[in-house]
Amino acid sequence: MQEKRYSVFISSTFEDLRNERQAVQDAVLSAGDFPVQMESFPAADEDQFEFIKALIDKCDYYILIVAGRYGKPAADGVSYTEKEYYYAKSQSIPILVLLHGDPDSIPVSKAETTDIGKKRLAAFIQEVSTGRLRNTWTTTGDLKHAVRDALDNAKLTRPSVGWVRGDTTASAELLSEMNEVRKENERLRSAIGSLEVELALPPIPAAEDPVRISLFGRVRSEADGMTYVGSYAMIECSWISIFPFFYNGLKWKSNDWDGEYFYSIDINASCCAIGDEISLAMSDFDATGMFILSNSDFSRLKNYYIEVGLMNEEGEGPFTESGNRAARRYSIAYSGKAEFIIIKGGIIVTESPSENIPF
């Protein structure tokens, strides 16, 4: 599966939020995405705003940071930060609002001092707080966490186009053909309205049908100067037999946005934890931290559990009541031996002095 990266436009007043903008940039980069901001052009004018609009058009998400200043107004009395916000809104770009949670703690040097500035800021905060995802922060540490949570939730609930490496995409000819098909489809929809098509979907495998999953070895260095390396293993098992390990290893959290709850999954941490669960069940030694489930198998398993009703596609938590009940039943019936068959490789850990790692 192609791994997407997203362009994220960062908008705020400038001088008072230099550190905060750097924190948001770091959070976006740590998520593997591309921050887009106008640090090189802090002085705003109408000509520059036309350039900013062109940048916003190419972005997948728009982050707005609001603290104690409204910003420098243009000739029409509207600040350039507010202009950016309204333009992103007009282009239907998902907007993630991060409001300062304790305005009284903002230093006077970073707050509006005039009555008109305070009124404009209050009206702007009221506008951006209505009917959209938002979160609050007071420190740059809080802000980094809020950005990651907001991006995770937006990618889950409002997926955007994103970017993939050029060498993983289809050929130019194929893309051209796909674009022509898209245009033709748009013309048909415009002419006859939305089309409802009955698709012949493939059947869902039975719970006991065998599947194959892959565990990849990890490297762990210890203080004793030894390095431990896990092996590769291809394992055959049934869909349902692996569910308890998936259930116990899934790393997720629930985010509250404007009164609505959405869960998000840390895929890498989940793949590591599920790999630990499976390898420990198949070995007679402590294999913690030595094996990881492949991302593609993780996605395949998750989609299957959603289709059969063990997991929610979205909502406050990942597992349905049926999924929770199935996990409880398994914990009661589990005999201590996993019903897995090794098809290739094995659950093996080799050790060597750290200076002699063979790679």
Side-chain angles (χ1 to χ4, degrees):
M1 182 175 66
Q2 294 173 351
E3 188 175 7
K4 286 187 176 181
R5 298 287 185 259
Y6 299 90
S7 296
V8 182
F9 191 93
I10 301 172
S11 177
S12 74
T13 50
F14 186 78
E15 292 295 340
D16 58 316
L17 294 176
R18 286 179 178 268
N19 293 335
E20 288 79 1
R21 290 174 67 88
Q22 182 63 53
V24 173
Q25 174 184 285
D26 292 345
V28 172
L29 287 170
S30 70
D33 298 316
F34 308 117
V36 178
Q37 49 189 339
M38 297 301 294
E39 306 297 1
S40 301
F41 306 91
D45 56 38
E46 290 296 337
D47 290 337
Q48 180 190 324
F49 184 60
E50 292 303 311
F51 177 59
I52 291 175
K53 289 196 293 185
L55 290 179
I56 294 175
D57 286 338
K58 298 177 181 178
C59 288
D60 299 289
Y61 299 100
Y62 175 97
I63 290 179
L64 174 64
I65 317 165
V66 181
R69 287 188 182 175
Y70 172 67
K72 178 183 176 181
D76 57 3
V78 180
S79 73
Y80 286 98
T81 302
E82 186 167 2
K83 285 176 178 287
E84 291 172 2
Y85 160 80
Y86 276 114
Y87 183 76
K89 182 179 179 181
S90 72
Q91 301 305 108
S92 299
I93 296 173
I95 297 173
L96 314 179
V97 179
L98 303 171
L99 299 176
H100 197 289
D102 187 11
D104 293 336
S105 69
I106 299 175
V108 174
S109 61
K110 295 184 177 183
E112 290 291 342
T113 56
T114 65
D115 287 341
I116 189 170
K118 293 176 181 178
K119 289 180 180 179
R120 286 172 173 170
L121 176 61
F124 186 40
I125 291 175
Q126 179 63 36
E127 158 64 25
V128 302
S129 300
T130 303
R132 69 186 64 260
L133 299 177
R134 58 184 172 82
N135 206 349
T136 58
W137 57 276
T138 54
T139 68
T140 55
D142 294 337
L143 187 57
K144 285 185 177 181
H145 288 299
V147 170
R148 287 300 302 266
D149 287 345
L151 280 175
D152 288 346
N153 182 70
K155 293 173 186 177
L156 181 67
T157 60
R158 298 191 65 185
S160 190
V161 176
W163 301 80
V164 294
R165 284 175 56 93
D167 58 359
T168 64
T169 57
S171 66
E173 293 80 4
L174 180 57
L175 289 174
S176 178
E177 292 177 7
M178 291 173 62
N179 191 46
E180 290 303 317
V181 171
R182 178 188 61 79
K183 292 179 180 179
E184 181 63 23
N185 187 50
E186 289 179 352
R187 286 193 291 268
L188 289 172
R189 286 183 180 275
S190 176
I192 63 177
S194 296
L195 301 176
E196 294 185 3
V197 179
E198 292 290 336
L199 297 177
L201 298 176
I204 297 174
E208 298 299 331
D209 284 354
V211 296
R212 293 184 178 184
I213 61 172
S214 293
L215 295 184
F216 292 91
R218 302 172 66 194
V219 178
R220 185 179 69 198
S221 296
E222 298 292 349
D224 60 4
M226 297 300 293
T227 294
Y228 300 86
V229 182
S231 61
Y232 167 78
M234 179 180 290
I235 300 166
E236 185 172 272
C237 57
S238 65
W239 290 106
I240 196 62
S241 66
I242 201 173
F243 175 69
F245 302 93
F246 188 98
Y247 182 95
N248 291 331
L250 191 71
K251 302 301 180 185
W252 64 277
K253 60 184 176 180
S254 183
N255 304 305
D256 175 14
W257 294 102
D258 202 19
E260 293 189 51
Y261 290 85
F262 303 92
Y263 77 85
S264 60
I265 296 173
D266 187 328
I267 295 178
N268 187 64
S270 296
C271 288
C272 291
I274 295 169
D276 284 346
E277 293 281 338
I278 297 172
S279 60
L280 287 171
M282 297 184 65
S283 62
D284 55 3
F285 60 91
D286 184 2
T288 302
M290 301 310 305
F291 297 91
I292 182 172
L293 179 71
S294 70
N295 283 8
S296 59
D297 286 337
F298 174 86
S299 178
R300 188 160 54 103
L301 290 169
K302 178 172 72 72
N303 289 335
Y304 174 79
Y305 298 141
I306 289 173
E307 287 294 311
V308 299
L310 296 177
M311 289 186 69
N312 298 307
E313 190 167 7
E314 58 184 28
E316 184 172 353
F319 296 104
T320 64
E321 183 52 40
S322 294
N324 292 327
R325 186 166 60 251
R328 288 195 297 268
R329 290 288 184 91
Y330 186 90
S331 68
I332 296 171
Y334 181 47
S335 64
K337 184 178 182 181
E339 298 178 353
F340 297 157
I341 300 173
I342 294 179
I343 302 299
K344 186 177 181 180
I347 305 299
I348 303 169
V349 175
T350 57
E351 60 181 75
S352 62
S354 295
E355 64 270 21
N356 293 328
I357 301 175
F359 46 80

